[in-house]
Amino acid sequence: MKEKRTGFATRLGAIAATVGSAVGLGNIWRFPYQAGDNGGGAYILVYLLCVVLLGIPIMMSEFIIGRSTHKSMKGAVQELTPGSPFKIFSYVGVLGALLICGYYSVVCGWVIEYLWNSADGSLLGHTPEQYGDMFGALVGTPQRCVLWTLLFLLLNFLVLSRGIQKGVERMANIMMPLLFILLIVFCVNSLLLPGSMKGMDFLFNPKFEDLGWKGVVDAMGQAFMSLSLGVTCLITYSSYFNDDSRLMKDAVTISALDTLVAILSGIVIFPAVFSFGLEPNAGPKLIFEILPTIFQQMPGGVIWSVLFFVLLFFASITSTISLSEIPITFMIDEYKMSRVKALIITAVLMTTVAVLSALSFSTLSDVKLFGKNIFDFLDYVGPNIFMLLGGLVTAIYVGCFLKKEIIHNQLTNGGKYRSSFVQPYIIFCLRFIAPVAIIIIFLYYTGIF
Ligand code: TRP
């Protein structure tokens, strides 16, 4: 017996919310520095292949599980394949979401401090070394880190408390178009800077000698992170899709927009880095240390920096909303809880992880898990274990264990549309390419590559 639940109000709203989940710090903060570190165009090429061969098929498999049952993973697997042990992975997804959102919201906290400092004018007017010191001082001061993280989580849960349509969907409908407009304005601005072409060359010229197996595995992890795969996020969101949404078209649109934002972010950052003669291989600090240096050399720098951190804030909150929705929907589905109760439990658990990660550069810096502090440990296991392995498990589940009729039904909306080559393509990728990817990753981690 299927219960009717309130889903997204419109197809466009569902797409906006899913793009909101996909577009986040992963695109604007992580993708540019990873491309910079791994051979520019060579990395982008491998990344695009990962999106087409793994990302879209795995996104489709999450959509098929969620939309066919309108349930989160555990109930969905029970309904689709009764008795299947794959339902265990629903717990892995929920745990993954709690841990990922825990450290992700610390970075979102930094974004709010930078936004605040941009607005009151204190961010600009320093030397590049001072920016390094400022960032160090922020992460090293427990009160500041914790406070901003808590403020961010409060906003996150306020939106979630308004529900799927009035909270999640409405927020995405407003923020996503604004984000695209801002990003395009930033791109044009960067391209007009003197010497910008050197940055474009750095970003797009394929340097295969700098790629290596590390670059390949990084690109795979980045595709999973960026498309929100592997921790049942897209199963959760698609359980709120209407039966008339077109899964394949929507998956392609969402992946294309997500990839576009990543590449546009690279176009915002590298031309400016080269134009101002800064160091492109700055790694994770790229946006926090390099960008303020750039903004302050630009006319109207204060406005640019406020707008940039607003953009980053929009991108990040629509992502944490989707991560938080995983445990919330899970508890509502499995334990028949009210939304408020599920939200409070999720908030308590997530805030605990977030505070521990926020303190891991200061008070708790001596606490090491496998040689890493808490934040770095979560940043490692999140993408590399939960997302990658979770995504690949989903691939195998749908590719090998789900009845073909169910897949066909979902791809064609019950026979209304044709699926032509789509179904064999997806099944081929899920059955053959995903396992090869697992083997590459495994060999890489065991040091054979
Ligand atoms: N995709 C987001 C980003 O690029 C992060 C994210 C949001 C995510 N929801 C997720 C990652 C679910 C994995 C699973 O920043």
Side-chain angles (χ1 to χ4, degrees):
M1 245 246 319
K2 261 182 198 171
E3 292 163 40
K4 196 73 196 146
R5 62 151 115 193
T6 325
F8 291 113
T10 64
R11 182 168 164 211
L12 206 64
I15 295 179
T18 316
V19 173
S21 163
V23 169
L25 294 169
N27 306 59
I28 303 173
W29 167 64
R30 209 162 178 267
F31 179 87
Y33 80 75
Q34 289 230 336
D37 290 351
N38 290 312
Y43 173 89
I44 295 182
L45 219 64
V46 177
Y47 180 80
L48 291 177
L49 272 179
C50 292
V51 169
V52 173
L53 295 175
L54 289 168
I56 295 181
I58 294 178
M59 180 177 281
M60 285 297 301
S61 27
E62 294 208 19
F63 282 175
I64 289 170
I65 299 175
R67 213 258 314 243
S68 63
T69 57
H70 295 290
K71 287 184 181 150
S72 49
M73 183 162 179
K74 182 150 179 254
V77 171
Q78 264 161 344
E79 183 179 321
L80 294 169
T81 46
S84 156
F86 276 95
K87 62 175 183 280
I88 294 169
F89 285 96
S90 57
Y91 297 102
V92 180
V94 171
L95 179 66
L98 286 170
L99 298 179
I100 293 164
C101 199
Y103 87 87
Y104 197 96
S105 39
V106 175
V107 185
C108 303
W110 301 340
V111 171
I112 306 194
E113 162 146 332
Y114 273 72
L115 175 58
W116 180 271
N117 290 348
S118 306
D120 80 0
S122 59
L123 184 66
L124 303 186
H126 303 275
T127 62
E129 296 74 52
Q130 283 171 326
Y131 284 119
D133 296 343
M134 276 162 78
F135 183 63
L138 164 62
V139 301
T141 315
Q143 300 86 332
R144 271 161 76 190
C145 259
V146 170
L147 217 71
W148 291 119
T149 306
L150 290 180
L151 177 65
F152 178 83
L153 283 173
L154 184 71
L155 297 172
N156 176 60
F157 285 108
L158 270 178
V159 176
L160 281 157
S161 70
R162 319 244 324 134
I164 292 289
Q165 289 189 3
K166 291 204 187 108
V168 179
E169 184 172 354
R170 188 177 290 171
M171 204 64 174
N173 277 336
I174 302 170
M175 287 185 173
M176 285 300 113
L178 280 176
L179 181 136
F180 271 92
I181 296 172
L182 281 177
L183 203 58
I184 290 177
V185 172
F186 270 100
C187 267
V188 172
N189 177 60
S190 274
L191 289 173
L192 292 178
L193 292 170
S196 62
M197 285 307 132
K198 262 204 243 143
M200 294 296 274
D201 185 60
F202 178 80
L203 179 62
F204 289 112
N205 193 359
K207 294 173 285 292
F208 285 98
E209 64 284 8
D210 291 344
L211 181 70
W213 283 109
K214 175 185 174 292
V216 174
V217 173
D218 275 356
M220 242 187 274
Q222 174 63 17
F224 279 62
M225 161 103 185
S226 194
L227 296 173
S228 302
L229 303 177
V231 296
T232 77
C233 180
L234 300 180
I235 299 183
T236 306
Y237 264 21
S238 60
S239 74
Y240 293 105
F241 283 6
N242 294 326
D243 287 326
D244 56 2
S245 54
R246 303 276 310 269
L247 296 189
M248 187 66 201
K249 266 192 168 175
D250 293 357
V252 172
T253 310
I254 293 159
S255 309
L257 287 174
D258 182 69
T259 306
L260 185 71
V261 172
I263 292 179
L264 289 179
S265 305
I267 300 181
V268 171
I269 291 169
F270 289 110
V273 166
F274 278 86
S275 179
F276 292 110
L278 299 167
E279 174 56 48
N281 302 101
K285 327 182 268 343
L286 192 64
I287 61 174
F288 292 105
E289 292 188 15
I290 301 275
L291 281 181
T293 312
I294 294 173
F295 292 138
Q296 70 170 339
Q297 298 181 50
M298 289 174 22
V302 172
I303 297 172
W304 288 113
S305 72
V306 171
L307 287 179
F308 182 82
F309 288 107
V310 165
L311 179 147
L312 210 51
F313 172 75
F314 286 174
S316 39
I317 194 163
T318 45
S319 293
T320 52
I321 286 172
S322 75
L323 281 161
S324 319
E325 193 55 55
I326 300 170
I328 295 176
T329 300
F330 174 81
M331 284 187 264
I332 295 176
D333 283 355
E334 291 307 315
Y335 306 114
K336 308 284 166 266
M337 265 181 207
S338 66
R339 187 169 176 89
V340 181
K341 194 165 167 201
L343 191 133
I344 293 173
I345 298 178
T346 304
V348 170
L349 294 174
M350 234 167 227
T351 307
T352 312
V353 180
V355 169
L356 293 176
S357 335
L359 293 174
S360 58
F361 300 98
S362 49
T363 323
L364 299 180
S365 60
D366 291 336
V367 179
K368 298 273 191 240
L369 301 161
F370 298 93
K372 296 179 189 300
N373 70 26
I374 301 171
F375 180 98
D376 291 338
F377 175 74
L378 294 178
D379 187 30
Y380 185 81
V381 297
N384 297 332
I385 296 185
F386 283 95
M387 292 176 206
L388 270 176
L389 294 185
L392 296 167
V393 165
T394 316
I396 290 170
Y397 173 68
V398 172
C400 307
F401 293 92
L402 206 57
K403 284 204 196 85
K404 298 290 157 299
E405 297 93 88
I406 299 177
I407 302 180
H408 183 74
N409 238 336
Q410 289 303 312
L411 292 179
T412 60
N413 287 13
K416 234 171 135 190
Y417 304 104
R418 295 180 43 167
S419 78
S420 51
F421 69 95
V422 169
Q423 184 156 351
Y425 170 75
I426 289 184
I427 295 196
F428 175 79
C429 292
L430 298 178
R431 279 199 185 162
F432 299 103
I433 313 251
V436 169
I438 302 185
I439 294 169
I440 293 181
I441 294 164
F442 181 75
L443 293 179
Y444 177 74
Y445 283 134
T446 47
I448 295 177
F449 279 170

